[in-house]
Amino acid sequence: MNRPAIAIFDFACCEGCQLQILNLEEELLDLISVVNPVEWREASSDKSDQYQIAIVEGSITRPADEERLINIRKNSQTLIALGACATIGGINKLKNRFDSADVRQTVYGEAADRPHLDTAPVKALDEVVKVDWKVHGCPINNREFARMLRALLIGKRPFVPTYPVCVECKLKGNPCLYDYGEICLGPITRAGCEAKCPSGGFWCYGCRGYVEDANIDAAREVMHQYGKTVADLKSRMSLFGTDQELTP
Ligand code: SF4
Ligand code: SF4
Ligand code: SF4
């Protein structure tokens, strides 16, 4: 059997999404038996620029990152963005809300002027190169990742939900957090996490990015019904919302 070569790379991130892949445990052994991992820093010291599928975690924060990502794109037939840092810029994008010099000063103090501490506004991968598939979330749902990889390996189009988290939340029979005075981003956030946070009693903070064609009018109506304002909703959108368009 011809096993496609796979390489996993990371940029600015906590590497928690790669860890989620390792957490697949027995299922990981099945997956690895049908692919040929040629580079994966968290699991092996091997290196290669010969691969068909590149799985890329993290966001782009320096000019040198852009060059490296462009090379990865050139070497790969399929590029998968892994996790919110890669798909939407993630928490790293909070940096874009502040003055760059202030950010450097806060992080590096007296060393802020050293040239090797290069930094630039944060970008998601698709702001630099074409991305074929996205595994959303902070961290990813590793079962969703495994399903996507399996589908690609057998030449099928992976299923990526286009509906909001509320759908999965309702299917689970969870009580709605709005009924308890909370503000939840479930109505405008892309599903696929099996409504992880509301199922644990915590509001959705939008880590999978906003759903396309969100029903903004309905969200506004819900806010009104529960005595909340759009400003309240926006205050919850700051963690993962930087530079994301919310399209009606
Ligand atoms: S998306 Fe979240 S868990 Fe994944 S690498 Fe980024 S910060 Fe870590
Ligand atoms: S708790 Fe959140 S995700 Fe669940 S139904 Fe209510 S708004 Fe939607
Ligand atoms: S419920 Fe919202 S914040 Fe929680 S994992 Fe799902 S998309 Fe992310």
Side-chain angles (χ1 to χ4, degrees):
M1 180 189 171
N2 186 19
R3 297 187 304 154
I6 287 206
I8 302 185
F9 301 100
D10 45 77
F11 288 84
C13 66
C14 78
E15 299 186 19
C17 290
Q18 283 187 69
L19 202 58
Q20 283 295 93
I21 299 178
L22 289 171
N23 284 345
L24 281 167
E25 296 176 351
E26 292 95 13
E27 199 176 350
L28 181 62
L29 297 178
D30 285 347
L31 273 180
I32 284 186
S33 68
V34 290
V35 295
N36 175 23
V38 294
E39 180 160 344
W40 185 1
R41 193 177 55 80
E42 263 195 13
S44 152
S45 54
D46 292 349
K47 286 195 171 291
S48 174
D49 54 10
Q50 304 289 318
Y51 41 85
Q52 281 91 51
I53 301 176
I55 298 169
V56 185
E57 182 192 38
S59 38
I60 303 306
T61 61
R62 299 173 301 178
D65 291 348
E66 293 205 17
E67 278 175 43
R68 183 174 163 233
L69 180 62
I70 289 166
N71 273 328
I72 291 170
R73 177 70 268 189
K74 277 187 194 150
N75 288 340
S76 54
Q77 291 163 14
T78 302
L79 190 147
I80 301 173
L82 187 75
C85 293
T87 58
I88 56 175
I91 290 175
N92 295 334
K93 263 205 173 174
L94 278 174
K95 187 180 85 169
N96 296 3
R97 293 174 177 237
F98 302 96
D99 176 77
S100 178
D102 288 348
V103 170
R104 285 174 70 102
Q105 186 63 42
T106 304
V107 175
Y108 299 118
E110 286 177 5
D113 291 334
R114 289 187 191 164
H116 72 282
L117 298 175
D118 201 7
T119 188
V122 173
K123 293 179 183 172
L125 302 190
D126 65 1
E127 292 175 75
V128 180
V129 297
K130 176 175 175 278
V131 169
D132 300 300
W133 295 100
K134 294 179 178 177
V135 189
H136 295 282
C138 176
I140 58 160
N141 171 352
N142 56 9
R143 287 182 303 277
E144 185 183 23
F145 166 78
R147 273 198 308 272
M148 179 178 285
L149 194 56
R150 272 205 210 90
L152 291 173
L153 292 174
I154 59 171
K156 282 197 164 176
R157 193 177 173 77
F159 170 70
V160 181
T162 53
Y163 44 81
V165 171
C166 287
V167 173
E168 291 176 341
C169 193
K170 294 287 182 203
L171 282 171
K172 287 192 142 189
N174 293 332
C176 182
L177 290 165
Y178 278 96
D179 284 334
Y180 295 89
E182 285 287 358
I183 297 169
C184 175
L185 296 188
I188 55 169
T189 300
R190 185 185 288 108
C193 60
E194 298 159 22
K196 207 170 198 59
C197 302
S199 300
F202 196 70
W203 46 276
C204 168
Y205 49 93
C207 80
R208 294 178 59 90
Y210 303 141
V211 71
E212 278 167 32
D213 297 329
N215 191 341
I216 311 272
D217 287 341
R220 243 188 229 115
E221 222 177 282
V222 169
M223 299 305 287
H224 181 71
Q225 186 187 332
Y226 287 95
K228 311 280 185 200
T229 65
V230 173
D232 291 335
L233 187 71
K234 283 191 172 159
S235 70
R236 290 280 157 100
M237 289 160 67
S238 56
L239 196 57
F240 284 94
T242 306
D243 300 343
Q244 267 195 82
E245 294 292 331
L246 189 55
T247 51

